[in-house]
Structures are given as structure tokens and as C-alpha cells.
Amino acid sequence: MPFLLGVSATGWAGTSDFTGILGCVQEQQQREFLSWPYLLSVRREYLMKNGDGRKGERTPLERNGHGPLNEIVLMRSLSPEIKLYKVKSPLIAKKRKAGQFVVVRLDERGERIPLTIADSDPQGGTITLVVQEVGATTKRMGMLREGDKLWDVVGPLGKPTEIENFGRVVCVGGGVGNAVVYPIAQAMKAAGNRVISIIGARTKDLLVLEEENRAVSDELFVTTDDGSYGRHGFVTDELAKVLQDGPRVDLVVAIGPAIMMKAVCDLTKNYHIPTVVSLNSIMVDATGMCGACRVEVGGKTKFVCVDGPEFDGHQVDFDLLMARLRMYLPEEQQAMEVLEQKAEAR
Amino acid sequence: MAEKKKLNLKREPIPRQDPHLRAHNFDEVALGYSVDQAKREADRCLGCKKPRCVAGCPVEVDIPGFIGRIQEGDFIGGARVIKETNSLPAICGRVCPQEDQCEKLCILAKKGAAVAIGRLERFVADYEAQHQAVEIPPRAPSTGKKVAVVGAGPAGLTVAGDLAKLGHGVTIFEALHEPGGVLIYGIPEFRLPKVIVKREVDYITSLGVELKLSFVVGQTQTVDEFLNSGYDAVFLGNGAGLPYFMNIPGENYNGVYSANEFLTRSNLMKAFQFPEYDTPIKMGRRVAVVGGGNVAMDSLRTALRLGAEKVTCVYRRSRAEMPAREEEIENAEEEGIEFKLLTNPISIQGNEQGWVKGMECVRMELGSPDESGRRRPVPIKGSEFVMDVDQVIVAIGQGANPLVAATTSGLETNKWGYIVADPLTGVTSKEGVYAGGDIVTGAATVILAMGAGRNTARAIDVYLRGKRSA
Ligand SMILES: Cc1cc2nc3c(=O)[nH]c(=O)nc-3n(C[C@H](O)[C@H](O)[C@H](O)COP(=O)(O)OP(=O)(O)OC[C@H]3O[C@@H](n4cnc5c(N)ncnc54)[C@H](O)[C@@H]3O)c2cc1C
Ligand SMILES: Cc1cc2nc3c(=O)[nH]c(=O)nc-3n(C[C@H](O)[C@H](O)[C@H](O)COP(=O)(O)OP(=O)(O)OC[C@H]3O[C@@H](n4cnc5c(N)ncnc54)[C@H](O)[C@@H]3O)c2cc1C
Ligand code: SF4
Ligand code: FES
């Protein structure tokens, strides 16, 4: 549980701390009264009474952002929980290569979230982001409208994908990973590879960028977990078939939920096929300054934001990655509750 | 020396927040002198003819000069004297390790009562700001030259301000979304209120410096691109921001933070106000912080303020070797931080869900001196024990982030990745590129970074004036 604290009405720089704000605590100067469980209950009480303590309207945003940059010029729903955004960001549009990402912050109080650059238009000065609404920040992003601005867009970050003519490349995408794998498939194709794409989703409605991926692939297979579209099953089922029946595959690129990438790697290990995965660890600065994003690859600690995001999948400790992704579950839930309360109130 | 004056050996104490109260809030701990207190303290200064204190200051502030102004009641004048050599007095007065610098050499230090130079410095700087007496100097006519400054920490801000005053066009490129470097993301509010950092940044921009935030040099654009696109010179002040880990088993369990991450979440992202702010932070109940420097003290005291029940400092040498400022160690002790000295972690233990549940340590004793002159800690065999903790914060130091150097052609670095630069002029192996602050010296101090910025600005000015307009 998140506990604490100073839901200060004046904000960080103000003079008040939670002892000042939460009048009830004020008299209790002794340490034992301010112990952890006590604070927790005070915190909860405060939230019940006052909501999340945010002042005024925050979504859609306090909209002065940074000049003409970061404006959402196009927004489109690809599925009930996945949206595509075209964002004005000329420098990044010019610079970015396949496999790189940006960090986005929605407003002054926002967290920094990493999002892959799915595509870019260097002439028009825009980048494309495809975002699945999984939690409070991505949901709030989904409430924006064309013309709104993102507060910060930083990038391009991370190392680009190593693109070469490998021969036969299988690109495997799962869920929103289909958007992340798309620019890589595109670049692989442009480098002369024979590209086989396998894209999957839980159900038909959630399948995104099918046409885009088809356009850059020599062959495309679709799977859905519930059989509502394409082959009934997981992407790994289709991949097993390709590996078994087809000619030798030279490289597999797998991008999706950690569990899917793990399953792909377990499979390709048996065939000794080099496999690249793009890791989605939790990040803060994304410039190599904090270590929040660390994972273990081949027994060594690596920072996904600067050493990655792509790694040799056979060396990645996926169990550690998955455990670390669960680090803030209670806080994520709380943030969602707060967001829902707000939506109801409105 | 002014022998006639009667020696007053009573150092004026600085009012502070009550330890019981302050252990639970993020307000500044030291409250600063009142006018009377400042005058009383200033009166203790002997105004030495050959002031020893000045030699202890890395930027040679005219210490008796500014204290003399306080004695005369000219507080704003005092601030101006300091600002001749130190552009960040409100910050330095709060965070400089005075006990190792100016105050250590003060003639009264021998009697255990050095003049409280840092507190007086803080006093005049705050007084000047409160009375809105901060002067914006007239700008020199534009030279038409452009300089790119990488990093908005103390080094970068100083270079930018000085060059702008000389008429050069300056743009600062900062990776994070707020300027200030460590002053913003590292040092907590209770030690350095962010309004003060903001004030200094505002001052720099009022000089005409352009600030580009959320711009990662080496990724968004490279130094080479700057030089090819109209910048006449580049200053690298990107700091030492790479967190070191201990490389012991279990360091990647949930609940283990680098101090950088812990402090960044709390300070920059304001996670201590979650969910008012979006970024969460894990608050442990029994927290161990490994290390004995300022970064460790800041982490300890932040953990306490976030509501931890028990916060312990684990340091492998003894208290005498702790690199943190004396005042901050005392503050931490007063607030109820526990110290496990001569203790070194050997592994971190986790539960099945991958969360920290304990830390195994070994006791140490001091052996013979090592290269640093400090006695080397050696483990005592069989003294291993397990600490019951649910959060570990690693504060054992920072190194050079390779991002900038690796993307700049022809830039020489040493074996630790720091940029090789002349300590007096900041000149690097690449023409037109200068460097200073932590990225050259390794993690050091605010005043050294600022001093390097000062010197380098002068060298860059000379370079630009010699450079023919293209
Ligand atoms: C390099 C990289 C590229 C990514 N690209 C995309 C993309 O193109 N499209 C897309 O929809 N998502 C992408 N993600 C994941 C995306 O960043 C998270 O879904 C987002 O941060 C969730 O924020 P939230 O507040 O909405 O959800 P939360 O409620 O905060 O979290 C929901 C889930 O997201 C994970 N998560 C939380 N915070 C972060 C964080 N700061 N960084 C990473 N993961 C986090 C958690 O493990 C959790 O399972 C990428 C992640 C990385 C590291
Ligand atoms: C927690 C903590 C407590 C401290 N306490 C004290 C103290 O009490 N007293 C004291 O004197 N010193 C203290 N220090 C040390 C002091 O803060 C540093 O020595 C000083 O800040 C160094 O200044 P700098 O300008 O060289 O670098 P920094 O302050 O590190 O600033 C560098 C800036 O460059 C930016 N940057 C990095 N890479 C890039 C890039 N690629 N592109 C663009 N921008 C980039 C960073 O984001 C940062 O803002 C402390 C340090 C820490 C971490
Ligand atoms: S700048 Fe630091 S060292 Fe110099 S006089 Fe001020 S406090 Fe002392
Ligand atoms: S996100 Fe901070 S180091 Fe990677």
C-alpha cells in the first residue's frame, strides 16, 4: 500500500506538510503516534474525505505545455483499449530509428511513461504512438483530444534495433506489441529480409495494426486466444508450426507481454534460433540515471533504457522482469480507483 | 590580527525545527538566522588581515569582506561581495561542507568555535532575495556567438550565466523536465528548498539564457551536431549520474532502490505526495541505507519522513571516515536514525514473491590505510548476521553516464569514463568542447562544480573572442 503523506494543498514548495494539512495529526508529536500503521489510516481517511487531493480539473490538461510542440495532431481508436496518436515532435521524428522509444509525461504532476515510437513522419514532423490503456496514466492519455498537448515528450531513447539482412526473420507481436514490432518488421523488410509476421491478441477487437504489419511482411499469421479471429491459440502455437514446417529461420523478434516473450524464447531455444526481445520494465528517467529499469541478462544487471530495450531473449531472466513489473500493483490500483471516483463525480 | 577584540567563542546556534516534528515533514530543517542572530555571529569575526578561511574556499569568497558588511548592517552589500566569486550563495550556504573548507581553517576553529561562515552566507543571500534586491546586471552587447551547455546542474547553470553576461548567446540542454541537476532531483527539500533552486534558475534565464528541457544530448541531438549547426562552443556539465550498485546477490529484488531512484522519485517526481502526483514510491517499514555520504544521509532522512518505523545507516567504516557533512550526520542522529557502522552487506535476501526480507551483513574492523589514506575496512570472520529489513537503498556512489561521451567524436575520457579536461580551463581533447563539474572530477561538491563553471566560462569567452566569425 502506498501510505503517506503530505497531501499538501500548496504543493511541494509550500510550507505545509502533512502534519499541517491533516489537522488531526498535529497534536501528536510523539513518534509512536506517527508510526506507519497510524499514518496509513490517516492517509486512507484523508483520501476518503477529499478524494485524491488534486486541485481543480486536471484532465484534459492544464494546457500550456511547451509551445507548439507535442501537440496531438491525430488520434484514432484501434480497439476498445488501444489508441493511436500522432504527435508533433519534429526533432524526434527526424532522429528516431526502429526500436527506439520516447518518455511521455501528461502534465505537471504526471509520471514519466515509456512508449515505443511506432512510426514517424520526418517531413511532417510527427511521431506515432500506439498506446494500450492499462492503468491510470494511459487511461488519462486516452481522455485527451486532438489539439491537446503532451506536457513532455523526450527522445528518441534507447538503442535502435540492429537491422541487417539476416535472411528469414520472424516477427512475433502480442497485444500492443504488434505496434512495437511494426517498425522493426518494416525496417527488416527494407533491409532485404524475408519477413514472416505472427501477430496475436486476446480477442478480435484487440488486434491492432494488422494491415500495417501485413504490408511490410511476406507472410502474416494471426492468432487470437479465444478463436474469434485467425487461428485459435497463442502466437507460440503458430511460431512452433513455422519453425517446424518451414525453412530455417535466422532470427526471431518477439515483442509483447513478458510472459509471451518468455514462451517464445523457451521455444526458439530448442531450435537454437537467435531471438531478440524488447523489454518493458518500469522506468523513471530513462537516461540511465536511476536503475529502476534494471533487469538481468546473462547473469549481469543491465539498464533497459540505455543498454536496451532489446536484448538476447535467451539470456533474459524473465521471472525477475515479471516480479519487478508487479512492484507497484497496489499503487497502480489505488491510482485507478482515484481516477474512477473522479470520473463518477463528473 | 585584531588582538584587541575580545574573543567571543560562543557560536550562535541556528534555529532548527524540532527533531520530533521535522522527522515527519519535508520542510527545511535549519531555519536560518534572524537579523540579530546574524549580527551577533558576524561580530565574532576578527576580520583577520591574512584570512585563513579564504584559502579554504574553493572559489575564494572574500569572507572577512562580506562578514564585515554584516557587522555594518549592510546585508545586501554582503551578498554582493560573495556574488563576485560565487554565483550560488543561497545554495552553497546550505550545502557546502564548510567544516572541511572555510570554517576548518578559521582562526577560531582551534578553539572549537569557528565563525559560522556558511550560515552567514545563507543569511545574506536569503536577505537579498527577500528584499527583492537581486540585481540583473546589464547585458554586454551581443557578440553573435552561440554556446550550447549540456546539463542544468550547478556547473552548467554557472557557465551559462557567466557567458550570457559577457554577451554570448547561450542555450542549456537538460535531459530531465526540470533544471537544477542534483539540486532538484537529489538533494531533498528539507535541506535545500526547491524555491531557492528555482530562484537561481530564474535569475539565469533572466540573463537571456535559453533553457531547453527534456532534451537528451547524445540521443535527441549530439555534440557533433551542435558544432555543425552553428554553435561555436559546447560546455559539458552532465554530472556523475550513473548509480553504482554493490554487485551482491539479491540486489534486484523488489524493494531495493538506488539512492538516485529513491531520491528522484521523491524529489523530482514528488512521489511523497502520491497519488496527488502520479509517481509512486515504496515506503519501507524497516529501511537500511548503505553508504555514509551526503547521498546516504539524504536517503535515510527521506525514508524516515516517508513514514518508515526504523531506518538504519549501514556503513563499512567508522563515523570518523563518513564523507557526509558533519551537520547532516548530527541532524540524522537527532531525528532517530540508527547507525550500524563498521558493517558491510554481503547479500540481500528475498521472499518467494521477489521482495526484500532481509540483508546479510558482516562486521568490519579498520586495518592499514589504503590509497585514499583512510584505514581500510576488513571483514571480521564469523561475524555475519542478518538484518530484518524490507527495503534497501544503495547509496555507495555514482559514476559517469557514458551517453554524452560515447556519442561525441574525438572526446577523451579516462578509465572510469570521466571526461578528461583541464581543471583550470575545462579544455578537452576536442576543439570547442569544454567540460566541468562532476563529469570531470567524479562526484564532488556543488561549490567545486560551480567553481569549474566559473573558470571554464572565462576560457570559453577567450576562445570565442579569438574565433573568427564564420
Ligand atoms: C521501452 C518501453 C516501450 C513501451 N512501449 C509501449 C507502447 O508502445 N505502447 C504501450 O501501450 N505501452 C508501452 N510500454 C508500456 C507502458 O510504458 C506502460 O503500459 C505504461 O507505463 C503504463 O502506465 P499506466 O499508469 O497507464 O499503468 P500502471 O497502472 O502504472 O501500470 C500498468 C502496467 O504497466 C506497467 N508499468 C507501470 N509503470 C510503468 C513504467 N513507468 N514503465 C513501464 N511499464 C510500466 C506495470 O508493470 C503494470 O503492469 C512500453 C514500455 C517500455 C519500457
Ligand atoms: C543526494 C545528493 C546529495 C548531495 N549533497 C551535497 C551537499 O550537501 N553538498 C555538496 O556540496 N554537494 C552535494 N552533492 C554533490 C553535488 O550535488 C554535485 O557535486 C553537483 O551537483 C555537481 O554538479 P554538476 O553540475 O557537475 O552535475 P549535476 O548536478 O549532476 O547536473 C548534471 C545535469 O546534467 C543533466 N544531464 C545528464 N546527462 C545529460 C544529457 N545526456 N543531456 C542533457 N542533460 C544531461 C542531468 O540531468 C543533470 O541535470 C550531493 C549529491 C547528491 C546526489
Ligand atoms: S562558498 Fe562554501 S566554502 Fe566558500 S565560503 Fe561559502 S560556504 Fe565556505
Ligand atoms: S529508467 Fe532510470 S536508469 Fe533506466
Side-chain angles (χ1 to χ4, degrees):
Chain A
M1 271 299 289
F3 351 101
L4 262 242
L5 274 196
V7 181
S8 140
T10 48
W12 166 267
T15 47
S16 41
D17 52 86
F18 73 101
T19 44
I21 286 288
L22 308 176
C24 45
V25 189
Q26 213 159 29
E27 308 92 60
Q28 326 266 25
Q29 291 181 10
Q30 283 133 329
R31 183 85 180 100
E32 47 271 40
F33 285 104
L34 286 168
S35 65
W36 181 78
Y38 177 72
L39 282 172
L40 208 92
S41 65
V42 171
R43 172 84 177 129
R44 242 188 245 123
E45 212 169 281
Y46 182 86
L47 282 174
M48 302 251 287
K49 257 193 246 143
N50 302 293
D52 66 342
R54 294 184 202 275
K55 276 176 298 171
E57 244 347 72
R58 205 165 76 111
T59 344
L61 306 172
E62 293 131 10
R63 253 172 250 224
N64 41 6
H66 294 148
L69 293 182
N70 308 343
E71 183 184 334
I72 301 174
V73 293
L74 183 130
M75 203 169 151
R76 186 155 62 90
S77 276
L78 301 182
S79 86
E81 51 187 60
I82 299 181
K83 290 197 180 77
L84 178 147
Y85 304 76
K86 264 196 183 175
V87 180
K88 194 101 188 151
S89 189
L91 270 183
I92 301 177
K94 221 184 287 166
K95 196 73 192 223
R96 112 339 135 168
K97 295 208 174 76
Q100 289 188 300
F101 64 97
V102 286
V103 157
V104 167
R105 207 164 64 110
L106 293 187
D107 62 35
E108 234 191 322
R109 301 183 200 176
E111 64 178 337
R112 299 167 63 98
I113 63 162
L115 298 167
T116 305
I117 307 168
D119 207 348
S120 83
D121 171 2
Q123 272 78 45
T126 61
I127 55 172
T128 302
L129 307 175
V130 177
V131 184
Q132 180 169 20
E133 290 164 18
V134 293
T137 300
T138 44
K139 282 217 158 66
R140 284 206 299 118
M141 189 164 168
M143 294 174 199
L144 299 177
R145 274 163 290 176
E146 287 177 4
D148 285 345
K149 280 172 203 145
L150 304 177
W151 199 266
D152 293 305
V153 179
V154 197
L157 299 170
K159 294 192 173 140
T161 313
E162 276 178 45
I163 304 287
E164 278 174 45
N165 190 344
F166 295 96
R168 274 169 71 84
V169 177
V170 179
C171 293
V172 186
V176 78
N178 294 329
V180 183
V181 84
Y182 164 67
I184 297 170
Q186 190 182 35
M188 287 292 183
K189 178 77 193 153
N193 290 286
R194 186 168 172 84
V195 176
I196 301 157
S197 288
I198 304 173
I199 61 175
R202 287 203 308 277
T203 179
K204 177 169 189 267
D205 274 355
L206 299 179
L207 190 76
V208 298
L209 299 198
E210 182 188 350
E211 284 324 306
E212 285 81 352
N213 272 306
R214 191 186 302 282
V216 297
S217 310
D218 295 286
E219 286 173 74
L220 179 103
F221 300 97
V222 178
T223 67
T224 50
D225 299 1
D226 64 357
S228 54
Y229 187 62
R231 182 190 166 115
H232 186 167
F234 298 124
V235 282
T236 36
D237 300 334
E238 194 66 58
L239 178 63
K241 223 179 93 211
V242 170
L243 296 182
Q244 214 151 46
D245 306 344
R248 165 92 199 164
V249 168
D250 299 291
L251 179 76
V252 172
V253 181
I255 302 177
I259 189 82
M260 178 211 100
M261 293 191 283
K262 183 177 190 220
V264 167
C265 290
D266 287 344
L267 186 64
T268 57
K269 224 180 248 171
N270 298 331
Y271 293 84
H272 306 287
I273 300 173
T275 303
V276 173
V277 293
S278 179
L279 303 185
N280 58 342
S281 57
I282 293 178
M283 297 187 175
V284 182
D285 64 301
T287 64
M289 180 269 271
C290 76
C293 61
R294 63 198 193 276
V295 292
E296 274 172 34
V297 182
K300 289 211 174 65
T301 295
K302 297 277 177 192
F303 289 4
V304 173
C305 66
V306 285
D307 299 324
E310 289 169 17
F311 294 97
D312 172 358
H314 295 159
Q315 306 281 325
V316 171
D317 181 342
F318 283 102
D319 294 332
L320 177 71
L321 173 69
M322 288 188 274
R324 287 186 64 83
L325 281 170
R326 286 193 296 268
M327 187 138 159
Y328 296 99
L329 276 183
E331 287 81 1
E332 286 158 8
Q333 264 155 23
Q334 191 190 355
M336 275 305 292
E337 279 162 24
V338 166
L339 188 72
E340 275 156 18
Q341 276 170 17
K342 261 234 133 98
E344 267 165 38
R346 220 183 287 130
Chain B
M1 265 158 255
E3 232 64 40
K4 271 165 278 164
K5 200 159 170 181
K6 194 169 167 287
L7 286 189
N8 174 355
L9 295 180
K10 213 180 137 272
R11 237 169 114 98
E12 188 68 31
I14 196 158
R16 292 179 209 199
Q17 268 200 79
D18 177 84
H20 290 298
L21 255 188
R22 74 179 194 236
H24 307 288
N25 70 48
F26 279 86
D27 296 346
E28 193 170 15
V29 168
L31 302 173
Y33 281 150
S34 67
V35 168
D36 287 345
Q37 287 169 320
K39 278 182 115 166
R40 271 204 298 276
E41 182 61 24
D43 278 339
R44 302 202 309 117
C45 177
L46 304 176
C48 305
K49 287 272 147 21
K50 285 202 194 107
R52 297 159 44 103
C53 54
V54 175
C57 172
V59 299
E60 299 183 352
V61 165
D62 175 6
I63 295 167
F66 96 80
I67 295 182
R69 296 294 166 87
I70 303 179
Q71 290 168 346
E72 292 158 15
D74 176 11
F75 307 130
I76 291 170
R80 304 262 153 91
V81 170
I82 302 177
K83 282 192 169 170
E84 281 164 25
T85 48
N86 178 349
S87 53
L88 306 170
I91 294 170
C92 290
R94 286 173 167 84
V95 305
C96 267
Q98 289 99 2
E99 74 276 7
D100 288 327
Q101 301 184 358
C102 46
E103 293 178 16
K104 184 183 186 179
L105 297 183
C106 172
I107 194 91
L108 296 180
K110 284 192 205 135
K111 313 234 184 251
V115 175
I117 299 168
R119 293 169 184 177
L120 290 173
E121 178 179 24
R122 166 190 167 154
F123 168 76
V124 291
D126 288 356
Y127 187 93
E128 186 195 28
Q130 273 153 20
H131 292 78
Q132 269 136 33
V134 178
E135 264 182 349
I136 296 175
R139 283 179 75 188
S142 168
T143 60
K145 294 285 197 289
K146 278 171 64 187
V147 183
V149 171
V150 180
L157 289 171
T158 306
V159 166
D162 284 8
L163 287 175
K165 281 187 221 159
L166 293 165
H168 305 298
V170 186
T171 308
I172 304 181
F173 297 90
E174 166 57 49
L176 295 173
H177 56 258
E178 270 187 58
V182 167
L183 308 180
I184 280 288
Y185 78 73
I187 303 181
E189 176 81 9
F190 56 80
R191 208 147 69 77
L192 178 64
K194 299 309 153 209
V195 280
I196 292 171
V197 182
K198 206 169 168 306
R199 200 159 78 200
E200 298 304 338
V201 173
D202 287 347
Y203 172 75
I204 302 288
T205 49
S206 74
L207 298 172
V209 171
E210 194 190 349
L211 197 54
K212 284 221 162 97
L213 301 174
S214 296
F215 191 111
V216 185
V217 177
Q219 296 276 24
T220 313
Q221 274 186 341
T222 62
V223 171
D224 291 329
E225 283 169 305
F226 286 151
L227 289 171
N228 294 333
S229 66
Y231 285 99
D232 301 285
V234 179
F235 174 79
L236 306 177
N238 49 316
L242 184 83
Y244 288 147
F245 286 92
M246 297 180 281
N247 293 318
I248 61 173
E251 230 172 347
N252 294 331
Y253 280 130
N254 284 350
V256 184
Y257 277 124
S258 74
N260 269 9
E261 180 183 355
F262 186 70
L263 293 171
T264 299
R265 281 181 183 271
S266 178
N267 297 334
L268 177 73
M269 305 310 296
K270 305 186 181 25
F272 76 109
Q273 296 186 57
F274 178 88
E276 191 181 350
Y277 283 75
D278 291 343
T279 306
I281 191 166
K282 278 289 169 196
M283 284 158 269
R285 304 175 70 162
R286 293 170 311 279
V287 182
V289 175
V290 185
N294 284 319
V295 186
M297 295 306 120
D298 287 345
S299 305
L300 287 159
R301 298 171 68 200
T302 298
L304 188 71
R305 282 159 174 77
L306 288 172
E309 283 167 3
K310 186 169 160 187
V311 185
T312 311
C313 174
V314 177
Y315 181 55
R316 62 196 180 120
R317 304 181 197 247
S318 72
R319 193 180 188 288
E321 284 87 24
M322 281 172 87
R325 294 181 68 209
E326 181 58 30
E327 183 178 339
E328 305 308 342
I329 303 176
E330 280 164 21
N331 279 335
E333 284 170 342
E334 253 181 51
E335 287 164 15
I337 305 282
E338 213 175 282
F339 287 80
K340 267 206 193 333
L341 304 173
L342 289 167
T343 303
N344 206 24
I346 44 185
S347 76
I348 296 170
Q349 306 172 334
N351 65 18
E352 300 83 66
Q353 284 82 42
W355 284 89
V356 174
K357 65 164 197 204
M359 181 163 81
E360 192 186 6
C361 299
V362 63
R363 293 205 200 286
M364 313 289 279
E365 59 191 352
L366 292 180
S368 46
D370 62 11
E371 317 90 70
S372 73
R374 296 183 298 179
R375 293 175 63 193
R376 184 196 305 274
V378 283
I380 303 173
K381 272 220 185 75
S383 68
E384 294 81 5
F385 65 102
V386 175
M387 277 176 75
D388 174 23
V389 294
D390 59 9
Q391 185 168 67
V392 175
I393 299 167
V394 183
I396 57 165
Q398 293 98 242
N401 186 328
L403 201 54
V404 174
T407 52
T408 307
S409 65
L411 188 66
E412 198 187 322
T413 54
N414 67 17
K415 64 175 168 175
W416 298 284
Y418 296 116
I419 296 171
V420 178
D422 184 285
L424 282 180
T425 60
V427 169
T428 67
S429 58
K430 188 178 170 80
E431 192 189 333
V433 177
Y434 296 74
D438 281 5
I439 189 60
V440 172
T441 56
T445 60
V446 173
I447 188 67
L448 285 172
M450 201 228 74
R454 270 266 142 114
N455 292 336
T456 308
R458 259 179 247 137
I460 295 177
D461 181 53
V462 171
Y463 171 75
L464 293 177
R465 287 181 195 283
K467 197 179 171 193
R468 282 212 268 126
S469 309

